Amino acid sequence: MKSDKITIAEIVSLKKAGEKITMLTAYDIGFAAVLDRADIDIILVGDSLGMVVLGYDSTVPVTMEEMLHHAKAVGRAVNRAVVVGDMPFLSYQTSTYEAIANAGRFLKEARCDAVKVEGGKEICDTVEAMVRAGIPVMGHIGLTPQTASQLGGYKVQGKDAEPARKLLKAAKALEKAGAFSIVLECIPDTLAQAITESISIPTIGIGAGIYCDGQVLVTHDLVGLFEKFVPRFVKQYAKLAPQMQKAVTAFRDEVKSGAFPDKDHSYTMQGDIGGLLDKKNKKIK
Ligand code: KIV
């Protein structure tokens, strides 16, 4: 491990220092290396993997084995950032034992530094048990994609007073259970501000406005690689999919026309092939 590796304590102290925290997703070595070189503080191996890489309609079908397969690749690439493994649906809800065992696999097998779980008060006992077992835990409340159908779909949460109060209480409960930070997804900015001001651990927002202690996006959204839909809260800093399309089409055209590979992209022999092959019948001499 390199000495400039960020610790979870340092992530928490960024809130006190008033420095914004950056978090992005990665699922393979190429993306993870780019994010780490860019000094992104936290790299999340998100279960968004299921949608942006594996082609599922939601995050629900994602398995532990799929998550670990990708988390291991990210773990191999990262030197500086805190790596968080996202626990997939039903890998932590069935029992405390399973939750600890599965969370432990992210740390032991994939070199993750922490895990993330979705849910409020109902998972606080599990969070407490995982933290007691030595596993740093990030919470995730608001729009929780694994249970989006129970929430009425992919909708902004906490718009009215009662659900907003419930989310405030959930954040407090997660802090008490020992979570080191909480993702706030798709909630009004003033509710995110109230949560952020009422707890001592950092909030990391996605569609939760400017007042959070940090921000997270799915990297495929940020660079314009996931074209199926673009939520309103996503800012596309690049549009890579059309650029890739152009490059791939150029390759196809050049292969078909014989323009690729040219001499610059081919190797030459020291001697003459004529010494090895009979020119007339093309047989090896
Ligand atoms: O899976 C994921 O990418 C996430 C982020 C949207 C926070 O949970």
Side-chain angles (χ1 to χ4, degrees):
M1 197 184 290
K2 275 181 137 188
S3 57
D4 58 0
K5 173 90 181 169
I6 309 180
T7 63
I8 288 180
E10 280 165 341
I11 294 289
V12 177
S13 69
L14 290 177
K15 176 173 180 129
K16 276 201 195 94
E19 189 183 324
K20 293 279 187 184
I21 298 161
T22 55
M23 177 160 112
L24 286 174
T25 60
Y27 321 100
D28 64 30
I29 185 167
F31 275 67
V34 169
L35 268 44
D36 206 32
R37 278 201 301 273
D39 287 349
I40 294 300
D41 298 315
I42 304 174
I43 297 180
L44 171 69
V45 189
D47 64 353
S48 49
L49 163 80
M51 296 178 82
V52 302
V53 173
L54 301 180
Y56 298 142
D57 284 339
S58 76
T59 57
V60 170
V62 178
T63 65
M64 268 302 292
E65 299 314 317
E66 287 167 340
M67 286 305 302
L68 285 173
H69 182 70
H70 289 268
K72 282 178 191 173
V74 172
R76 285 180 208 118
V78 174
N79 293 311
R80 178 185 173 275
V82 164
V83 179
V84 177
D86 210 0
M87 297 197 66
F89 185 52
L90 295 190
S91 68
Y92 56 98
Q93 295 93 336
T94 49
S95 73
T96 305
Y97 174 84
E98 275 222 48
I100 293 175
N102 284 325
R105 292 189 70 192
F106 278 101
L107 272 61
K108 287 163 71 96
E109 297 175 35
R111 297 171 57 186
C112 287
D113 302 295
V115 296
K116 177 169 82 58
V117 292
E118 294 182 8
K121 271 191 155 176
E122 71 283 2
I123 58 149
C124 281
D125 286 348
T126 307
V127 171
E128 208 175 319
M130 288 197 282
V131 173
R132 213 180 312 121
I135 299 164
V137 179
M138 176 182 277
H140 183 161
I141 58 173
L143 173 54
T144 43
Q146 292 175 7
T147 47
S149 56
Q150 282 182 329
L151 301 172
Y154 294 89
K155 286 183 181 157
V156 179
Q157 302 294 308
K159 277 177 134 180
D160 298 319
E162 220 22 68
R165 191 194 319 276
K166 202 172 158 202
L167 287 171
L168 264 162
K169 282 188 171 170
K172 277 270 184 205
L174 283 165
E175 177 186 32
K176 193 160 168 250
F180 76 91
S181 63
I182 306 176
V183 169
L184 305 179
E185 180 161 352
C186 261
I187 62 170
D189 55 357
T190 46
L191 172 58
Q193 182 179 27
I195 293 174
T196 300
E197 287 173 0
S198 69
I199 57 176
S200 61
I201 55 172
T203 57
I204 302 179
I206 175 162
I210 190 70
Y211 305 113
C212 299
D213 297 307
Q215 296 293 327
V216 55
L217 282 177
V218 170
T219 306
H220 282 62
D221 289 336
L222 178 157
V223 298
L225 263 183
F226 184 65
E227 294 181 299
K228 238 175 162 179
F229 59 89
V230 182
R232 175 174 157 196
F233 59 74
V234 166
K235 180 167 177 183
Q236 285 188 323
Y237 288 82
K239 289 193 191 291
L240 292 193
Q243 266 178 270
M244 279 178 71
Q245 196 74 53
K246 222 169 133 188
V248 170
T249 305
F251 166 80
R252 185 206 60 198
D253 291 347
E254 288 199 357
V255 171
K256 295 278 185 190
S257 71
F260 178 83
D262 55 14
K263 282 280 178 208
D264 287 348
H265 297 92
S266 305
Y267 301 100
T268 49
M269 270 184 74
Q270 297 278 14
D272 182 0
I273 194 71
L276 300 175
L277 217 55
D278 190 304
K279 268 196 178 144
K280 262 197 190 147
N281 56 21
K282 306 287 181 210
K283 284 211 172 124
I284 300 166
K285 277 184 187 168

